Every structure is written in C-alpha cells, then in structure tokens.
Amino acid sequence: MTATVIRDVPKQLFIAGSWQDAESDRTLSVDNPATGEELCQVADASPADGRRAAEAAVAAQPSWAATPPRVRSEILRRAYDIIVSRTEELALLMTLEMGKPLAEARGEVAYAAEFFRWFSEEAVRIDGGMTTAPDGKNRIMVTRQPVGPCLLITPWNFPLAMGTRKIGPAVAAGCTMVLKPAPQTPLSTLALAAILTEAGLPDGVLNIVTTTEAAGVVEPLVRGGQIRKLSFTGSTPVGRILLAQSADTVVRTSLELGGNAPVIVFDDAALDVAVEGTLLAKMRNMGESCCAANRIFVHTSIADEFASRLATRMAALTVGPGTEPGIDVGPLIDTAGRDKVHNLVLDAVEQGAKVLTGGELPDGPGYFYPPTVLTNVSTDSAIMHTEVFGPVAAILTFDDEDEVVAAANDTEFGLASYLFTQGLDRGLRVSERLESGMIGLNTGLVSNPAAPFGGIKQSGLGREGGRVGIDEFLEYKYVAVPVRDGRD
Ligand code: ADP
C-alpha cells in the first residue's frame, strides 16, 4: 500500500481549484524519518505563488461568505465521512512522512475528522441577536460575519489534525483561506485538499502552498492588507515574528505556540493512574507535542516508586519504524530534532541527573531516540526551560503544594499542565492556581475537538475547537435601528 499511497497523493500547489506546479518548477523533497530516504517531491512555492494563492482566496471570499451555512456544513460533514472511510490510507501517509506509529496515526485521523464533524454542526449555529437599548429607543441588532480571507500555517507534528482544526472553523464561518503546511509533512495537507474538493468545496475557498521559503512566502501576505486573519501553530519564536508582522496591518491573530508542561504527582495520587497518565502525556507522538509533559514533579514520599514504575513502562516500549506492527515509538522528525533531544539529556546528566533508562543515541538509519527517564534533574538544566519535543521524562521532587505550584508556574509558557491527586479540593484548587490554558486532572490527555484548546502567557492567543473555536473566524456586525413609537 505504501507505493500506492505515495503515488496517489497530489504533489502540486492547489490554487483557485486547480493543481499547479510552482512557477519556477522548483520542488522540495519529502523524506521518511524512519529511513532518512526520500518519499517523493512536491512543488516548492515562491512568494509569487503565495500571492497568487492569496488572490484566489480574496476573489472567492464574497461568494463563499454568501453560501448558505447548511451548504458549508454539509461539505464539512461529507469530508468527515470521506476521511473516516480512508482512515488506513491517511494513517499510512502520515506515518510515512512524519514517523508516528500507525496506531497513533489512526487515532489522529479520527481526531482530525472530528474537527470537521464538530464544525459542520457549528456552521448552522452561528448566533446573533436583537436587544433594546437602555433608553428604549434604539434596537441593537447583532449579526456575525466571516472575518475574511485567512492565512493558516501548520506544523509537522500533527499533519492532519492541525489542518482540520483550522480549516474546519474557517469553512464553517464562511472564510476563504491559504494554508501553508510544514515542509516536512505537506502530503497529509495535500490529501486533505483533494478530499475537501471531492466533498464539494468550491474553487478558491482553500488554497495550499507548500514551500521551503516560509518567511518569504508568508510575510508579504501578512503585510499585504488583504489577508484579514492569521492562524498559526508552531514555535514561540516564529509566533512572535508573525505577531509583529500582523501589527502593521492589524491582522487578527490566533497563535498556538510552544509549551513547557508540568506534571504534578501528589502523595495522595492513585499511583497507577499517575504513571499511565504521565506516560501518555509524555509519550504521545514520541513526545513531539506542544502539550507533552516536560517537567515531572513528584512528591518526595513516592518519588522512587513512581520513577521506577515509569522507567519500567518506558523501557518496555518498542522503538522502530511506525509502519511495522506493534511499534510504540517511531522516529523523531529529523536529525536536528534528535540532536536537540540528545543534547538536553547530555546537559542534564552533566549537571547530576541519573539515567534510569535510555539516554543513548542508537546507530542505524532513521532518527530514533530511546524512551528515557532521568531523575535527580537540576532545575538549572536546559531541559527544565526548553520544550523537549522528544521521549525524555525528567523527574524532580517536591515537598509542599505552594512550592510545587510556584515551580510549575516558573516558565514563560502556559499551554497545558497535568496533576494527579485523589483529593477533590486539592485537584480543583491547584487547577485554578496553575498558569496554563489547559489542565489534565488525573489524565494525561487534554486534546478534544469539543474543548477550547490553547494557551496563556507566551503559549499563545485565542482558542481552537469547542464552542469558541469558530469565534476566531467571525466578526460582530452591529446595526443600530431606531424604532419610533408611532405617535411622533
Ligand atoms: P517547528 O520548530 O516545530 O518546525 P516552526 O515554528 O519553525 O516550528 O514551524 C511551524 C510552521 O511555521 C511551519 O509551517 C513552518 O514552515 C512555518 N514557519 C517557520 N518560520 C516561519 C516564518 N518566519 N514565517 C512564517 N512561517 C514560518
């Protein structure tokens, strides 16, 4: 099936409803991180291609905004059905270009599809209202309108779900868009564009530019004055650049940026729940997730037991190509990603950390890294202040609640936090005190299309999913209507 899946996926830019080569005929290489070998080439857009894509989105905006909500809704619903029916092909495609094990890729297909189902339901529930002003004269009529053409930028770690999480609400709201996927994983996005076309999405509503020249393609669009909304998922440094660029033309921005998630395991936690929850929060997607557990704080009285149980579970995970059966941990995305993870481990060890399992760079092709557990980690280690994006669990100990809450909050990030306790008061109290947009209370998984996903502090702006996800793509329109009493 591998050869067929790669052969069948579109490899060109998608502009105004047609598949096109880049103007320069340039292509970029998509590689398999499990082997380091090339899978195929796809078009590599220049800034001129980017401008054409934006013009197509701008041209399609008026008629798309006028398309009935039910029509928009049913396109998303059809796309949901198609994605689900092609779970195997899409999962394999994602595993090949990104590395995650097939079982996780299938999970992501379901998660990704769910954003289309959710937003197909939201498309027909866009609200408005009419009220009487306090003076009794004016009527205040409020409607919602699409914000306008959007620029969507996605990362490589969840190639399908990051696309549907942005395309879903944009389609539901009546916005047209240009989507730029990460150059490492363009294939899932291209497959998604083909599915949406099959589902009936009109030409020009979704335009895809794959490129190695992210900054060169994106900046003119952000500054160009026609794109009215930027939705970005990626690193905090790039998010800062895009926010600064958006300031000049006052583009509305949603940013879903980096994290440095703490896990807190209290002495009254159910230990098996805490170990399994931490394993999930750490190891989902090989740790390449912005909500991945980064700093694990365990109460001193249970720290040895917890660390040894977690190390046993981590050591038992099977590492290998995600396409093979029974694999738990695939390769990291590329050499740079793996070197970064290994250097964080070396630095922590130099500062006194003890390796309970893993920690050694394997030989051979592919960018594999073993599940690793570190204890006795110094708070000065780089791993405490850096988003690891890899399968390394760094464990620290604590003695009291105030101390651990302060330590957990001691970061510029504020995306996800996890805490394990059987105490209801403590669970709610600490959830309120933790500075993050999302909390996993006795669970290691927070992602859910029906929930508002996003961060505070330097982890981002705005929310994706949930009831509020569509708001990011809508503007309020208020019409003042004086109603005379008829006796004037
Ligand atoms: P990561 O380190 O996870 O690759 P990035 O923030 O670099 O995160 O990338 C996320 C997305 O942002 C990708 O689609 C990437 O191509 C894009 N990107 C990177 N640099 C820029 C930039 N200067 N302007 C716009 N997009 C960018």
Side-chain angles (χ1 to χ4, degrees):
M1 191 154 101
T2 297
T4 328
V5 162
I6 295 296
R7 188 196 62 210
D8 291 349
V9 69
K11 298 175 188 70
Q12 293 168 294
L13 310 179
F14 188 57
I15 299 178
S18 85
W19 295 99
Q20 312 176 5
D21 289 329
E23 255 176 27
S24 63
D25 279 334
R26 265 190 347 199
T27 54
L28 65 90
S29 169
V30 184
D31 301 336
N32 179 347
T35 61
E37 286 166 10
E38 181 179 298
L39 289 167
C40 63
Q41 297 268 331
V42 303
D44 187 0
S46 65
D49 295 312
R51 275 195 296 277
R52 284 190 302 121
E55 281 158 18
V58 170
Q61 181 60 63
S63 62
W64 182 236
T67 302
R70 178 62 74 199
V71 174
R72 304 199 301 260
S73 162
E74 287 184 351
I75 291 169
L76 286 176
R77 178 64 208 213
R78 275 196 295 277
Y80 163 81
D81 288 333
I82 299 172
I83 293 173
V84 170
S85 74
R86 300 212 187 123
T87 296
E88 285 308 308
E89 293 92 319
L90 290 166
L92 178 59
L93 193 61
M94 231 188 315
T95 294
L96 288 170
E97 68 173 346
M98 187 275 167
K100 68 184 70 192
L102 268 179
E104 285 201 48
R106 287 187 193 105
E108 181 175 342
V109 173
Y111 174 55
E114 203 54 57
F115 282 106
F116 280 180
R117 181 157 68 168
W118 175 263
F119 284 107
S120 77
E121 292 155 350
E122 293 299 281
V124 289
R125 313 252 185 276
I126 297 171
D127 61 0
M130 184 138 137
T131 51
T132 302
D135 65 7
K137 293 177 185 151
N138 271 10
R139 299 298 177 271
I140 296 171
M141 206 167 82
V142 177
T143 57
R144 318 289 301 276
Q145 294 185 326
V147 59
C150 303
L151 176 59
L152 315 176
I153 302 175
T154 54
W156 49 261
N157 58 345
F158 293 98
L160 202 62
M162 295 304 97
T164 58
R165 191 155 86 180
K166 296 186 191 305
I167 296 170
V171 166
C175 296
T176 60
M177 63 212 105
V178 175
L179 168 51
K180 192 209 80 60
Q184 297 94 332
T185 58
L187 304 180
S188 304
T189 306
L190 293 167
L192 200 52
I195 288 172
L196 280 157
T197 305
E198 198 179 325
L201 195 71
D203 294 351
V205 174
L206 171 66
N207 304 276
I208 312 278
V209 284
T210 49
T211 181
T212 50
E213 238 189 294
V217 168
V218 165
E219 184 169 358
L221 303 192
V222 177
R223 294 189 189 279
Q226 289 189 300
I227 292 292
R228 294 312 318 147
K229 162 88 197 177
L230 169 73
S231 176
F232 170 77
T233 299
S235 62
T236 295
V238 174
R240 288 192 194 103
I241 293 171
L242 293 173
L243 188 57
Q245 290 173 7
S246 304
D248 283 349
T249 39
V250 195
V251 173
R252 267 181 77 182
T253 50
S254 302
L255 304 174
E256 204 270 274
L257 308 177
N260 183 6
V263 175
I264 305 176
V265 184
F266 286 101
D267 51 357
D268 62 354
L271 211 53
D272 50 345
V273 173
V275 170
E276 292 310 309
T278 305
L279 189 76
L280 180 60
K282 180 67 256 178
M283 293 303 295
R284 177 165 167 258
N285 221 38
M286 290 84 74
E288 292 173 321
S289 155
C290 45
C291 351
N294 226 54
R295 300 166 293 151
I296 302 165
F297 299 95
V298 186
H299 192 270
T300 312
S301 64
I302 52 165
D304 288 346
E305 171 76 6
F306 177 90
S308 123
R309 285 212 216 174
L310 185 67
T312 304
R313 290 288 280 118
M314 293 274 277
L317 297 175
T318 51
V319 182
T323 45
E324 286 179 12
I327 292 296
D328 300 309
V329 186
L332 298 183
I333 190 69
D334 52 24
T335 321
R338 182 171 71 165
D339 288 351
K340 174 187 150 189
V341 170
H342 191 50
N343 287 333
L344 288 172
V345 171
L346 294 180
D347 169 76
V349 169
E350 206 170 294
Q351 305 209 41
K354 190 170 152 212
V355 182
L356 293 196
T357 184
E360 282 178 18
L361 214 47
D363 295 330
Y367 313 118
F368 295 96
Y369 199 79
T372 299
V373 177
L374 305 175
T375 54
N376 203 29
V377 179
S378 155
T379 47
D380 295 333
S381 306
I383 202 165
M384 288 295 103
H385 312 284
T386 315
E387 192 171 24
V388 180
F389 247 58
V392 180
I395 301 180
L396 302 96
T397 56
F398 73 92
D399 290 303
D400 106 352
E401 188 178 302
D402 286 345
E403 167 206 341
V404 76
V405 168
N409 287 340
D410 185 18
T411 166
E412 71 199 33
F413 295 108
L415 191 59
S417 304
Y418 305 89
L419 69 129
F420 294 90
T421 172
Q422 293 190 89
L424 179 63
D425 272 353
R426 172 177 271 163
L428 295 180
R429 182 173 66 235
V430 176
S431 296
E432 287 175 8
R433 295 178 69 193
L434 286 172
E435 294 169 356
S436 64
M438 299 176 287
I439 309 273
L441 176 53
N442 293 321
T443 175
L445 184 68
V446 291
S447 302
N448 189 319
F453 187 104
I456 63 171
K457 293 160 83 176
Q458 295 189 37
S459 285
L461 296 172
R463 294 293 181 271
E464 294 188 299
R467 294 304 310 276
V468 297
I470 197 168
D471 293 345
E472 305 277 335
F473 293 86
L474 292 167
E475 293 283 16
Y476 284 98
K477 167 70 59 72
Y478 146 56
V479 182
V481 191
V483 177
R484 290 169 188 91
D485 66 10
R487 291 190 297 267
D488 300 348

